[in-house]
């Protein structure tokens, strides 16, 4: 740890904590929220590839309020027992309304079949944030809702989650040094009676981020992102499940160029995918997505336009 | 006579296990019933009212947009 920050903040130390001459442990930065632990890696490795046509139009009525109209046409996969994937062509229109204010954010999306997707985020105080997320359908027993209460301390974050069918979870993440943060999570689900515990660690510097996460459900995820320059970053990921012995490794890239953003990845399951977002003019973006699954012989191509 | 009374109490407390202390049992069942009823009503209210709520809050924020801007596609 030879390249730590110089002791600029030594004057603000409080008497109780011992000051290390290189790192001021009483003034550590706030860590990344637990659910965003892998966010840099997932930006390149879990880009939202889609199949078919996608058209999104967002109309801003004022600074805070906007409406969105989205049309999606394409095959959607239906889960089936046989090894083949069954795709059914569907088309739908989704209407949405968004309200953004510094302390309150409301997002609602409703589809033609009556499904509502609602999200709310409110800052109750400057340290306590409540978030709610609900998917409500017309069919009974298929709706779910999740409420999260986040508390942000000076160098830690704690979150409590309550979900619809008796799901309770809690996560906690703490900054240990300027670059390393460690966290854990616990959850209990009522309906399939199971509970789990997991641990996570994240180490970051200006140029790289490395994270690792282990859970008692058997999942182990490790990823590493290196920022090669302002425009290029590369990421790699390794996931395995020690109960089902499933292993996946992937390598991806993210090029942020002036007029476009290209992201792609290749996987050990034989999947290669890429997503190109090109800015044709102010507010007009053209999207191209491709995902080739050589193992299952499933090839998906999509194109779309985003306005506003 | 006794058997019909016991059948009635069993029908009233659907989730309850045995017929021991009836006072606590019925309070808990009333709470469960009311919470189920209120969750169902909250689900219907959210389903129909969430997007209109966002629109109402948005139309009243400043600068106040007018109705034509809401309805026109441009």
């Amino acid at each position: 740890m030879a390249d730590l920050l110089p002791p600029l903040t030594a004057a603000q130390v409080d008497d109780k904590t011992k000051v290390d001459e290189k790192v001021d442990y009483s003034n550590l930065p706030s860590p990344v929220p637990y659910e965003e632990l892998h966010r840099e890696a997932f930006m390149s490795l879990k880009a939202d590839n889609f199949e078919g046509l996608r058209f999104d139009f967002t109309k801003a009525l004022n600074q805070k309020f906007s409406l969105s109209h989205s049309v999606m046409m394409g095959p959607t996969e239906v889960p089936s027992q046989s090894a083949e994937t069954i795709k059914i062509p569907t088309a739908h229109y989704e209407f949405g309304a968004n309200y953004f204010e510094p302390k309150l954010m409301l997002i609602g999306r409703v589809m033609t079949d009556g499904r509502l997707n609602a999200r709310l985020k409110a800052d109750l105080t400057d340290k306590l944030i409540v978030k709610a997320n609900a998917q409500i359908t017309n069919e009974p027993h298929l709706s779910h809702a999740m409420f999260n209460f986040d508390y942000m301390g000076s160098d830690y974050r704690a979150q409590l989650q309550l979900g619809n069918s008796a799901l309770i979870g809690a996560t906690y993440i703490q900054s240990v040094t300027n670059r390393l943060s460690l966290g854990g999570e616990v959850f209990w689900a009522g309906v399939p009676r199971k509970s789990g515990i997991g641990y996570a660690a994240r180490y970051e510097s200006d140029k790289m981020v490395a994270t690792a996460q282990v859970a008692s459900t058997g999942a182990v995820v490790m990823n590493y992102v290196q920022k090669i320059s302002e425009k290029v970053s590369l990421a790699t990921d390794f996931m395995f499940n020690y109960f089902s012995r499933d292993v996946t490794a992937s390598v991806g890239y993210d090029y942020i160029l002036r007029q476009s953003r290209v992201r792609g990845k290749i996987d050990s399951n034989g999947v290669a995918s890429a997503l190109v977002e090109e800015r044709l003019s102010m507010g007009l973006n053209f999207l191209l997505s491709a995902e080739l699954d050589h193992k299952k012989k499933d090839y998906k191509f999509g194109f779309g336009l985003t306005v506003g | 006579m006794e058997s019909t009374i016991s059948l009635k109490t069993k029908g009233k407390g659907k989730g309850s296990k045995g017929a021991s202390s009836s006072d606590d049992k019925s309070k808990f069942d009333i709470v469960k019933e009311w919470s189920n009823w209120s969750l169902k009503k909250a689900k219907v209210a959210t389903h129909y009212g969430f997007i209109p709520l966002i629109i109402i809050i948005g139309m009243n924020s400043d600068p106040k947009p007018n109705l034509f801007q809401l309805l026109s596609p441009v």
Side-chain angles (χ1 to χ4, degrees):
Chain A
M1 302 257 268
D3 46 10
L4 294 169
L5 296 174
L8 294 167
T9 50
Q12 305 168 5
V13 94
D14 57 347
D15 301 320
K16 296 179 285 196
T17 46
K18 187 171 84 115
V19 177
D20 189 282
E21 65 182 277
K22 295 201 181 146
V23 175
D24 186 2
Y25 285 103
S26 67
N27 207 7
L28 289 172
S30 190
V32 160
Y34 194 89
E35 61 266 14
E36 289 179 28
L37 205 66
H38 305 290
R39 75 176 161 197
E40 282 87 359
F42 285 1
M43 283 206 282
S44 12
L45 297 172
K46 302 261 187 284
D48 54 347
N49 295 86
F50 57 95
E51 185 173 13
L53 165 77
R54 197 169 113 176
F55 177 72
D56 287 324
F57 172 53
T58 304
K59 179 170 140 180
L61 280 103
N62 68 24
Q63 283 280 59
K64 305 177 186 177
F65 178 48
S66 54
L67 295 176
S68 81
H69 305 268
S70 209
V71 174
M72 278 171 276
M73 295 186 214
T76 31
E77 283 183 18
V78 170
S80 76
Q81 272 76 15
S82 67
E84 276 184 21
T85 44
I86 298 183
K87 294 195 191 183
I88 297 185
T90 53
H92 41 97
Y93 164 71
E94 187 181 65
F95 172 70
N98 315 317
Y99 181 73
F100 294 108
E101 207 185 42
K103 298 222 165 200
L104 176 66
M105 177 182 94
L106 294 168
I107 294 182
R109 297 268 181 275
V110 66
M111 293 218 203
T112 45
D113 52 3
R115 273 189 288 165
L116 172 73
N117 190 338
R119 286 179 48 199
L120 173 143
K121 172 173 173 266
D123 292 359
L124 296 178
T125 73
D126 61 349
K127 303 222 169 203
L128 184 62
I129 298 178
V130 62
K131 294 195 265 204
N133 189 342
Q135 268 108 353
I136 304 185
T137 60
N138 278 325
E139 292 133 35
H141 303 296
L142 278 180
S143 320
H144 29 250
M146 181 98 100
F147 294 90
N148 296 343
F149 298 93
D150 294 356
Y151 181 78
M152 183 161 76
S154 63
D155 59 356
Y156 65 92
R157 285 186 201 244
Q159 181 187 75
L160 176 69
Q161 280 180 345
L162 299 169
N164 123 334
S165 47
L167 175 67
I168 293 185
T171 72
Y172 178 79
I173 181 165
Q174 164 92 45
S175 279
V176 174
T177 74
N178 278 324
R179 299 185 176 188
L180 178 65
S181 30
L182 303 175
E185 68 172 338
V186 163
F187 74 88
W188 185 84
V191 172
R193 283 215 177 228
K194 65 178 193 181
S195 58
I197 188 167
Y199 303 101
R202 178 179 156 111
Y203 182 81
E204 60 187 305
S205 79
D206 289 340
K207 296 265 177 192
M208 53 75 90
V209 175
T211 68
Q213 187 169 16
V214 185
S216 70
T217 52
V220 175
V221 176
M222 292 187 272
N223 49 45
Y224 178 79
V225 180
Q226 173 88 26
K227 188 168 154 180
I228 310 258
S229 77
E230 281 301 318
K231 300 190 177 187
V232 179
S233 40
L234 299 177
T236 166
D237 178 334
F238 181 72
M239 302 196 259
F240 81 97
N241 188 323
Y242 53 75
F243 293 137
S244 69
R245 299 282 170 192
D246 247 338
V247 181
T248 302
S250 57
V251 177
Y253 62 89
D254 185 355
Y255 290 169
I256 302 182
L257 308 170
R258 240 177 330 137
Q259 305 276 44
S260 64
R261 182 173 183 179
V262 184
R263 290 182 263 184
K265 77 163 208 283
I266 182 159
D267 220 333
S268 65
N269 292 331
V271 176
S273 69
L275 179 71
V276 175
E277 292 160 7
E278 168 128 8
R279 205 183 68 170
L280 298 178
S281 78
M282 182 69 201
L284 191 64
N285 285 346
F286 180 58
L287 301 163
L288 280 173
S289 153
E291 186 175 329
L292 311 167
D293 189 340
H294 296 286
K295 207 158 150 186
K296 289 193 235 168
K297 303 246 189 277
D298 182 18
Y299 309 111
K300 299 190 201 170
F301 298 96
F303 66 98
L305 198 63
T306 301
V307 183
Chain B
M1 214 35 195
E2 276 180 15
S3 55
T4 45
I5 291 174
S6 64
L7 276 172
K8 269 193 210 163
T9 50
K10 265 196 202 152
K12 190 174 166 190
K14 276 182 270 205
S16 57
K17 303 169 194 96
S20 46
S21 60
S22 57
D23 202 48
D24 290 340
K25 228 22 98 68
S26 65
K27 263 192 227 164
F28 181 61
D29 289 336
I30 286 175
V31 167
K32 250 184 12 176
E33 224 178 274
W34 274 92
S35 72
N36 274 346
W37 176 89
S38 64
L39 277 176
K40 283 205 171 62
K41 295 297 175 198
K43 177 190 165 212
V44 174
T46 314
H47 201 167
Y48 285 107
F50 193 73
I51 294 213
L53 173 76
I54 301 182
I55 292 180
I56 288 174
I57 293 181
M59 293 301 277
N60 287 333
S61 66
D62 53 21
K64 212 167 154 160
N66 55 24
L67 192 59
F68 175 70
Q69 277 179 304
L70 181 70
L71 297 174
S72 87
V74 183

